[in-house]
Amino acid sequence: MEWFSADGYWLSRLVFQRTLAVIYLVAFLSAALQFRALIGERGILPVPELLRRTPWRAAPGLFRLHYSDRLFAAVAWSGCAVSVALIAGLDGLLPLWGGMLLWALPWVLYLSIVQVGQVWYGFGWESLLLETGFLAVFLGTGDTAPPVLVLWLLRWLLFRVEFGAGLIKLRGDACWRRLTCLDFHHETQPMPGPLSWFFHRLPRPVHRAEAAANHVTQLLVPFLLFTPQPVASCAAGLMVLTQLWLVASGNFAWLNWLTIALALSVIDWTPLAGRPPDLAAPPLWYEVAVIAVTALVLVLSYRPARNLLSRRQVMNRSFDPLHLVNTYGAFGSISRMRLEVVVEGTADPVADEGAEWREYGFRGKPGDVRRLPRLFAPYHLRLDWMMWFAALSPAYARSWFGPFTERLLRGDRDTLRLLAHNPFPDGPPVHVRARVFHYRFTDLRELRATGNWWDRTCVREFMRPVSRPLPPGREGRDTGREQR
């Protein structure tokens, strides 16, 4: 079938696959370095407890057969090793079936991780990585031409990512329609980056232009992905530029980089690559497999497509347990005020205002007012992100904040490794408390006078002081009541 293959996209496939392999590596590395404290056997939300209370069909994966921290570490580090092999191009040295199996391996491994990740893995880019990784399995490798159907499925995925994000903004916060959201967003986004202060201080007309350009890129440009070349390449290139702007202005884990990878698969690199190499005709079994997967994706696309058209559109939802076809979106509403939960401890026996309270430092989220926000993306600091959600509403933290503070009171090493600064290096504190602060970027005059990038004011109590040992079985419940 001559229509089946797209010889001219061999370089597009190569660029896409290598970029995806790098993202896989970052995702597995993030899992390997953070899992013990978050979901390990003695973690904040232990995997064994999840497996006992949920059925197999709700979240199938390798850990349904057996779980241990040692096995999780083996899965995560194996994922890193496979990712490195894919970056090096090992898939191109194998026969077609071998290359497909090699691409299927990180998908199975990461799916197993996401299925037990609970709130720590409830982000849209987890499903996006799984959906993209699943399609990559059927993209072909080596001297086999990439199939047209899978290339179109990648465009359909990119369309849903961008158009879904555009629609949720248009239907959501009125500031998107007034073009004023970016007056606040650079300051109130989950994890500002080193340039966020400068983006926030751009003139307001520039913020209006940013918002308008966002609408054009997310609501109009996605339709051009389905037009002939070179229009589709120009549309994808514009998306790459928009995503790089987002990379410069904040930390969104690998969301932007994965979107860039999808856009790179659309670009026709023939003018740069020249004449394509001689590519073998695809075997019949491969054609059948690709057609079957295409039919499956189209069937599973019904609910995500219906969600796009719905006035009750939801963001970042999986409609099947394997995350094969999902719905995406971001920032349907924008916070006008940045709130941060500041966690403090004291070694004093009495937990009153006369005690010496010392602040725990986080790696990515704002804390020390003199510290310029740092760049961590595409690496994902899961605890820092959840702390942002906790500041928006204590309900987001009800399941995990109590166990988290308990581990601070115990001086748990795995938990402390997630932090940038432990103010109690010689032993755990006697009491821990949490307060909510209003953070705002200083202006240029304040920055020059004080050297502070942030100004902060205490707003309210988030959690009253608790001490060790916490009553068995009451950590989460007591903390939730105090938060309310």
Side-chain angles (χ1 to χ4, degrees):
M1 293 184 287
E2 293 184 0
W3 62 267
F4 182 85
S5 301
D7 294 18
Y9 283 84
W10 69 273
L11 185 55
S12 303
R13 176 180 65 185
L14 181 66
V15 173
F16 164 75
Q17 287 180 330
R18 299 300 166 256
T19 306
L20 177 59
V22 172
I23 296 170
Y24 259 137
L25 175 60
V26 174
F28 281 114
L29 187 63
S30 172
L33 297 180
Q34 300 180 48
F35 85 93
R36 290 185 186 276
L38 300 180
I39 58 174
E41 293 172 299
R42 299 181 179 179
I44 296 171
L45 297 176
V47 171
E49 293 184 10
L50 171 74
L51 297 178
R52 282 193 293 269
R53 67 175 186 264
T54 56
W56 188 93
R57 64 180 180 274
L62 296 176
F63 299 118
R64 287 289 172 179
L65 304 175
H66 173 70
Y67 179 84
S68 69
D69 285 356
R70 182 173 297 179
L71 177 60
F72 191 103
V75 166
W77 289 113
S78 295
C80 291
V82 175
S83 301
V84 170
L86 291 170
I87 294 170
L90 180 59
D91 56 321
L93 303 178
L94 299 173
L96 177 59
W97 63 267
M100 293 175 66
L101 288 177
L102 190 63
W103 274 103
L105 186 55
W107 181 78
V108 171
L109 295 177
Y110 200 69
L111 174 66
S112 300
I113 290 174
V114 171
Q115 301 289 43
V116 298
Q118 303 168 81
V119 297
W120 311 109
Y121 283 77
F123 299 89
W125 49 77
E126 313 291 359
S127 295
L128 181 58
L129 179 54
L130 289 172
E131 185 173 351
T132 307
F134 177 74
L135 295 178
V137 175
F138 300 93
L139 196 54
T141 59
D143 59 356
T144 304
V148 172
L149 292 176
V150 179
L151 291 172
W152 281 104
L153 291 179
L154 290 172
R155 295 189 190 194
W156 167 233
L157 172 53
L158 178 59
F159 175 88
R160 283 183 284 119
V161 170
E162 291 283 9
F163 194 58
L167 284 179
I168 202 71
K169 293 181 177 69
L170 198 63
R171 291 167 171 156
D173 203 317
C175 69
W176 285 114
R177 298 186 290 277
R178 294 194 296 262
L179 305 182
T180 58
C181 277
L182 294 177
D183 293 347
F184 317 99
H185 170 70
H186 296 302
E187 180 180 69
T188 63
Q189 64 181 303
M191 196 179 304
L195 298 179
S196 298
W197 185 94
F198 302 93
F199 276 85
H200 180 65
R201 292 302 171 192
L202 290 172
R204 290 198 170 186
V206 177
H207 288 161
R208 305 294 185 275
E210 281 185 281
N214 177 86
H215 291 324
V216 171
T217 305
Q218 293 189 327
L219 293 172
L220 300 179
V221 174
F223 290 94
L224 301 179
L225 296 172
F226 305 106
T227 60
Q229 299 290 5
V231 177
S233 291
C234 292
L238 185 58
M239 290 180 176
V240 170
L241 292 177
T242 303
Q243 293 297 320
L244 290 175
W245 182 268
L246 297 174
V247 167
S249 63
N251 283 289
F252 299 100
W254 54 79
L255 173 62
N256 306 123
W257 291 108
L258 193 47
T259 308
I260 289 172
L262 289 168
L264 292 176
S265 74
V266 178
I267 296 175
D268 181 6
W269 299 92
T270 304
L272 298 177
R275 184 176 179 273
D278 294 331
L279 299 173
L284 179 60
W285 67 264
Y286 178 56
E287 294 177 347
V288 172
V290 168
I291 292 173
V293 165
T294 302
L296 174 65
V297 170
L298 291 179
V299 170
L300 294 176
S301 294
Y302 170 72
R303 294 179 68 186
R306 188 177 66 176
N307 178 70
L308 281 179
L309 302 176
S310 172
R311 293 183 179 179
R312 297 181 179 181
Q313 177 190 2
V314 295
M315 300 186 298
N316 304 320
R317 176 76 59 84
S318 295
F319 293 99
D320 62 87
L322 298 180
H323 301 260
L324 297 181
V325 185
N326 314 286
T327 185
Y328 304 99
F331 297 108
S333 62
I334 296 295
S335 301
R336 275 40 171 196
M337 176 187 294
R338 180 174 199 92
L339 298 177
E340 288 288 347
V341 177
V342 174
V343 182
E344 302 167 310
T346 181
D348 294 345
V350 179
D352 55 18
E353 289 304 318
E356 181 189 2
W357 291 99
R358 306 179 203 170
E359 181 177 337
Y360 285 89
F362 288 76
R363 296 185 183 276
K365 88 177 196 69
D368 183 358
V369 295
R370 298 182 63 87
R371 189 182 74 165
L372 177 69
R374 299 176 184 177
L375 179 65
F376 287 93
Y379 189 81
H380 186 14
L381 295 171
R382 300 183 184 279
L383 176 61
D384 294 62
W385 266 81
M386 290 307 298
M387 290 293 292
W388 180 77
F389 284 108
L392 293 179
S393 171
Y396 287 114
R398 191 159 292 134
S399 65
W400 59 268
F401 196 83
F404 167 62
T405 54
E406 177 195 2
R407 279 150 182 79
L408 295 181
L409 288 166
R410 292 205 317 251
D412 180 68
R413 289 182 297 177
D414 293 324
T415 302
L416 293 173
R417 288 192 185 102
L418 299 179
L419 305 178
H421 172 62
N422 172 22
F424 301 95
D426 299 324
V430 177
H431 304 276
V432 168
R433 72 177 182 183
R435 296 185 292 167
V436 177
F437 281 75
H438 171 213
Y439 273 67
R440 65 169 183 85
F441 276 133
T442 56
D443 56 30
L444 185 59
R445 179 185 59 80
E446 292 171 315
L447 176 62
R448 287 174 174 171
T450 65
N452 296 342
W453 295 96
W454 297 97
D455 177 78
R456 74 180 192 180
T457 306
C458 185
V459 176
R460 63 177 183 271
E461 191 175 64
F462 185 83
M463 183 188 76
R464 292 196 297 270
V466 293
S467 60
R468 59 177 194 269
L470 294 177
R474 296 183 57 85
E475 298 90 343
R477 183 165 64 252
D478 289 348
T479 303
R481 184 173 63 250
E482 288 162 359
Q483 291 165 356
R484 290 193 296 272

